[in-house]
Amino acid sequence: MLSALGNGVKGGKWYALIDKVYAPETLRVAWAKVQANQGAAGVDGQSVERFAVRAEEYLSELATALRRDDYRPQAVKRVEIPKGDGKMRPLGIPTVKDRIVQQAVRLVIEPIFESGFCEGSYGFRPERGCHDALREVDRLLKAGYTHVVDADLQSYFDTIPHERLMARVEERVSDGRVLDLIRGWLTADILQGLDRWTPLRGSPQGAVISPLLANIYLDPLDRLMAAHGYPMVRYADDFVILTRSHAEAEAALALVRAWVTANGLTLHPAKTRIANCRKKGNGFEFLGYRFERGRRHVRKKSLDKLKEVLREKTRRTRGQSLKVVVADLNRTLRGWFGYFKHAHPSIFLVLDQMIRRRLRAMLCKQARRPGVGNCRADHQRWPNAYFATAGLFALHTAWQIARQPR
């Protein structure tokens, strides 16, 4: 997309971008991405499926509204979704049309900022992901960076100061109409049930443009750490800083505290700490994993969440055939293993045993008849090979296959 921006740059700032936003091809690509992501309807009740029926007509209307400067964002519907710690996370759902325009703006301005982002930033960036960030943490730990600043920005997305954020955007973008679009999304009313209010801070989690804006706002922090020689690995608002000594970790944390305060943000007092991952029980958690004493484990919250899902899928009263249950389990297990396959392998054996034990209890319940025994010989009746023949995805077997040289 950057190559398509032409020569609209002067003094390091890009101008005359709005025509790239409302270009038919940009809007079609933006719609394809929104359609692929699906998601719930916004305050207007229009779903992705309903938009798809008349997509070309709606896209043409959006292009005209943007070209004439008649487009105005609608309110954002707020819902709350459960977090892993039992608390709720606020999620903002823009309308489908607003998501398309946000995606179009992102397609146009992301390359402008992407070219200048630091190497240690991995979240919501092209050709980068969680596993890249985790590999970098592994590399640094093996290189002797064993003291870690494990920091947590409290309610980051909801507390980003609007004017300071816009000032960062304006460092590279000078097209007033594009800037007005971004301001409009930041200040769009929030609708939750019967309550409606205008936000004074923050960028809604769930908005297409929010991850890019979040990276733009935290990029100076990335640069500050790099300038002082402290390797920082950041995934959106989740980051760790790795150092070679406790003193360096304290100095890095002091820098972070000062920057965070100066930029209108807050470190979570209970979730910000310094860890020495060479000591037992003194590791740190990052992106679903726990790092401790040279090993990568599945974080307890991540493991508990999986076990809860597995218990629900293998309840004794489910009443469906083993074939159906195994197919259902495999979808969950394959996806989970795809992410956690680099964890210490002992957990895979534990989970495999748990799953087979629960499947035996389910089969026992289904097979029980009056006068039949109490199924003490479950393991002999349904050995491990029985479930392998039934096609059950075995985590430890998958780990053994994955570690074989290709």
Side-chain angles (χ1 to χ4, degrees):
M1 183 61 71
L2 186 58
S3 60
L5 296 180
N7 298 317
V9 60
K10 186 180 295 182
K13 288 188 176 184
W14 292 80
Y15 62 95
L17 296 172
I18 190 64
D19 60 319
K20 315 301 187 298
V21 174
Y22 62 67
E25 180 58 27
T26 306
L27 290 174
R28 277 195 290 269
V29 173
W31 157 237
K33 289 181 176 292
V34 170
Q35 187 177 31
N37 290 333
Q38 290 296 307
V43 296
D44 62 354
Q46 185 178 53
S47 65
V48 171
E49 292 77 13
R50 282 180 56 194
F51 188 96
V53 175
R54 299 167 59 186
E56 285 301 319
E57 177 184 345
Y58 290 142
L59 291 177
S60 178
E61 291 175 356
L62 277 176
T64 300
L66 288 164
R67 186 171 61 253
R68 295 177 177 174
D69 201 18
D70 292 334
Y71 164 85
R72 297 294 181 272
Q74 293 182 267
V76 176
K77 183 169 74 174
R78 172 170 284 196
V79 298
E80 293 189 338
I81 58 175
K83 295 170 60 176
D85 57 5
K87 298 180 181 179
M88 303 299 288
R89 182 192 306 277
L91 184 68
I93 306 175
T95 64
V96 174
K97 290 181 180 179
D98 285 339
R99 299 205 295 263
I100 292 170
V101 181
Q102 286 188 26
Q103 186 65 256
V105 169
R106 180 173 178 172
L107 286 168
V108 171
I109 72 170
E110 185 173 58
I112 295 171
F113 292 95
E114 176 63 30
S115 60
F117 283 154
C118 290
E119 281 297 307
S121 170
Y122 292 88
F124 306 106
R125 295 183 59 189
E127 308 301 324
R128 287 173 167 242
C130 292
H131 286 299
D132 299 306
L134 291 164
R135 276 192 289 269
E136 177 63 6
V137 170
D138 275 332
R139 186 190 71 79
L140 289 166
L141 290 172
K142 291 174 182 176
Y145 293 82
T146 54
H147 291 73
V148 180
V149 177
D150 185 7
D152 183 271
L153 290 171
Q154 191 166 10
S155 302
Y156 171 61
F157 279 86
D158 288 335
T159 58
I160 302 174
H162 287 169
E163 290 309 311
R164 290 176 179 173
L165 170 59
M166 290 308 304
R168 303 258 164 89
V169 177
E170 289 168 14
E171 290 174 3
R172 302 300 308 276
V173 174
S174 62
D175 188 312
R177 289 177 63 185
V178 171
L179 294 172
D180 285 345
L181 286 175
I182 297 173
R183 285 193 190 92
W185 293 321
L186 291 175
T187 58
D189 281 0
I190 305 294
L191 189 62
Q192 184 173 16
L194 298 177
D195 296 328
R196 187 182 185 113
W197 70 94
T198 302
L200 301 178
R201 301 164 68 88
S203 185
Q205 292 190 65
V208 174
I209 199 72
S210 289
L212 174 60
L213 297 179
N215 278 334
I216 291 171
Y217 198 69
L218 287 181
D219 185 61
L221 177 59
D222 298 340
R223 296 180 178 281
L224 177 66
M225 292 299 105
H228 284 80
Y230 299 130
M232 182 164 104
V233 181
R234 182 172 65 80
Y235 194 94
D237 59 329
D238 194 0
F239 64 89
V240 290
I241 303 164
L242 294 95
T243 65
R244 294 184 181 274
S245 69
H246 186 84
E248 286 186 351
E250 286 185 324
L253 180 54
L255 279 174
V256 171
R257 289 191 191 280
W259 187 92
V260 165
T261 300
N263 285 272
L265 303 174
T266 305
L267 284 175
H268 197 298
K271 297 182 179 180
T272 299
R273 54 189 283 272
I274 293 175
N276 179 356
C277 58
R278 291 179 300 186
K279 294 183 178 180
K280 185 177 180 180
N282 195 232
F284 66 97
E285 296 177 351
F286 186 57
L287 299 180
Y289 281 91
R290 178 171 180 81
F291 294 83
E292 185 176 324
R293 301 185 75 183
R295 291 181 175 179
R296 211 203 281 191
H297 302 273
V298 180
R299 187 179 67 158
K300 184 179 184 302
K301 289 180 181 178
S302 304
L303 188 58
D304 289 345
K305 184 177 180 180
L306 174 68
K307 288 181 177 180
E308 183 180 344
V309 173
L310 294 177
R311 290 188 188 100
E312 174 60 25
K313 290 180 181 292
T314 56
R315 62 188 187 279
R316 292 200 303 164
T317 57
R318 179 161 178 173
Q320 291 177 299
S321 69
L322 180 64
K323 180 179 179 181
V324 171
V325 175
V326 164
D328 191 19
L329 281 171
N330 284 352
R331 283 189 290 270
T332 296
L333 294 172
R334 290 181 190 279
W336 189 87
F337 179 77
Y339 188 82
F340 288 106
K341 61 186 175 184
H342 300 293
H344 192 268
S346 60
I347 191 59
F348 303 136
L349 284 172
V350 171
L351 288 170
D352 283 339
Q353 291 168 359
M354 169 193 166
I355 294 165
R356 289 192 292 259
R357 182 173 64 250
R358 291 188 62 83
L359 286 175
R360 289 185 184 106
M362 184 190 75
L363 291 171
C364 183
K365 174 75 172 178
Q366 293 176 357
R368 185 170 298 159
R369 296 289 187 270
V372 177
N374 59 7
C375 296
R376 291 177 180 174
D378 288 350
H379 196 284
Q380 287 74 27
R381 188 175 185 183
W382 298 294
N384 293 353
Y386 177 85
F387 298 108
T389 302
L392 178 64
F393 183 83
L395 294 166
H396 193 262
T397 301
W399 173 80
Q400 290 177 316
I401 294 172
R403 68 193 294 263
Q404 292 176 356
R406 296 185 178 183

